[in-house]
Amino acid sequence: MVTIKSKKEIECMKEACKIVALMYQEIEKYIKPGISTWELDQIAEKAMKKFGGIPAQKGYPSGFKGVPNYPATTCISVNDEVIHGIPSKTKIIKEGDVVSIDTVALKDGFHGDAARTFLVGNVSKEAKRLVEVTKQAFFEGIQYAKPGNRIGDVCHAIGEYVHSQGYSVVREFQGHGIGRQMHEDPGIPNYGKAGRGIRLEPGMTLAIEPMVIQGKPNILELDDGWTIITEDGSLSAHYENTILITEKEPEILTILKK
Ligand code: MG
């Protein structure tokens, strides 16, 4: 079901989303060569709690028999890891890495969800371009996130832009509605046909999240039951914000206002 948030619920969404934005602001300086992704996750969890949020991904059920619940506050996916990388003490960040972090904060019953991809030190030109295109894909998509348009218009814009840049979008994972539940309707693929799907209405809150691969779109799942990697070993990037559909332009809730 697609939920339309009341004024009061929107205020709660804003609070949850602000916590995520503050968390990213705080952890950025720690994303340096030599730190383990586990340490980074510890720092992120501390920051999220400090700002009043509950780490909502921690303990999230996999939905698959024999696969344990998600063990950490953040997903940290490095280089050819696409999403759902599990923080680990043995995974050390190196110069030149492309580090995608995804997290969800819960506050007063509502969720805020955002992902960022960080470049560590001197990275290749190609990696830089991939990360820029992934971020831009989000902005290309949300140009259509207005009342009267359909969700397919957003999906289509993201996919078209990414493909025009010579990259692939992940087909098996998608953005989503968000609110009291981390994942609500509608599903928001990063490709699709314009003019399809639900009509957007003020009060909808959506997590729009381009997941982009430098090479072919095919992905694999590691034996941990969570980590998704590119099949061809090429780099991947992720950029996500929770947005609010308003009467006019969408409001991005997980970016701090200046
Ligand atoms: Mg997310």
Side-chain angles (χ1 to χ4, degrees), residues 178-196:
I178 180 166
R180 287 191 187 275
Q181 306 297 323
M182 194 191 298
H183 297 113
E184 298 185 354
D185 288 334
I188 310 172
N190 291 306
Y191 64 94
K193 288 205 165 86
R196 297 277 176 91

Side-chain angles (χ1 to χ4, degrees), residues 179-245:
R180 287 191 187 275
Q181 306 297 323
M182 194 191 298
H183 297 113
E184 298 185 354
D185 288 334
I188 310 172
N190 291 306
Y191 64 94
K193 288 205 165 86
R196 297 277 176 91
I198 61 148
R199 266 186 208 287
L200 300 175
E201 290 175 43
M204 289 180 180
T205 44
L206 309 171
I208 311 276
E209 50 176 321
M211 291 163 252
V212 178
I213 297 178
Q214 198 176 28
K216 296 212 171 75
N218 305 351
I219 55 169
L220 296 171
E221 188 182 83
L222 295 187
D223 288 341
D224 62 23
W226 285 102
T227 312
I228 301 297
I229 62 167
T230 63
E231 189 185 67
D232 62 8
S234 66
L235 295 174
S236 180
H238 188 193
Y239 184 79
E240 174 182 32
N241 285 301
T242 299
I243 67 163
L244 168 70
I245 305 297

Side-chain angles (χ1 to χ4, degrees), residues 24 57 101-104 113-115 176 182-183 207 209 238 240:
Y24 280 121
Q57 292 187 147
I101 304 185
D102 190 3
T103 198
V104 182
D113 188 355
H176 48 91
M182 194 191 298
H183 297 113
E209 50 176 321
H238 188 193
E240 174 182 32

Side-chain angles (χ1 to χ4, degrees), residues 4-48:
I4 306 290
K5 277 79 179 177
S6 68
K7 238 182 179 171
K8 205 176 153 194
E9 290 171 332
I10 288 169
E11 287 315 307
C12 291
M13 283 298 296
K14 285 183 178 175
E15 285 303 311
C17 288
K18 191 177 166 189
I19 291 166
V20 175
L22 288 168
M23 189 212 82
Y24 280 121
Q25 191 181 53
E26 177 133 337
I27 69 169
E28 191 166 1
K29 57 180 175 284
Y30 296 99
I31 307 170
K32 282 194 174 149
I35 194 167
S36 74
T37 56
W38 180 84
E39 284 172 279
L40 259 182
D41 183 70
Q42 295 295 110
I43 292 165
E45 180 167 325
K46 229 186 219 171
M48 188 183 286

Side-chain angles (χ1 to χ4, degrees), residues 94-149:
K94 305 180 306 297
E95 177 89 13
D97 278 348
V98 176
V99 179
S100 301
I101 304 185
D102 190 3
T103 198
V104 182
L106 175 66
K107 166 86 173 167
D108 297 334
F110 287 85
H111 294 83
D113 188 355
R116 301 282 180 263
T117 298
F118 300 92
L119 299 167
V120 182
N122 269 325
V123 297
S124 68
K125 241 189 194 168
E126 246 321 283
K128 223 180 239 176
R129 190 173 81 87
L130 173 73
V131 171
E132 278 164 15
V133 165
T134 305
K135 183 174 179 180
Q136 186 58 29
F138 165 85
F139 289 97
E140 296 289 331
I142 67 161
Q143 287 184 47
Y144 295 89
K146 292 176 192 172
N149 286 348

Side-chain angles (χ1 to χ4, degrees), residues 77-99:
S77 310
V78 182
N79 296 332
D80 65 328
E81 293 172 347
V82 181
I83 49 168
H84 302 169
I86 300 175
S88 157
K89 285 180 179 171
T90 57
K91 184 147 224 164
I92 312 296
I93 300 293
K94 305 180 306 297
E95 177 89 13
D97 278 348
V98 176
V99 179

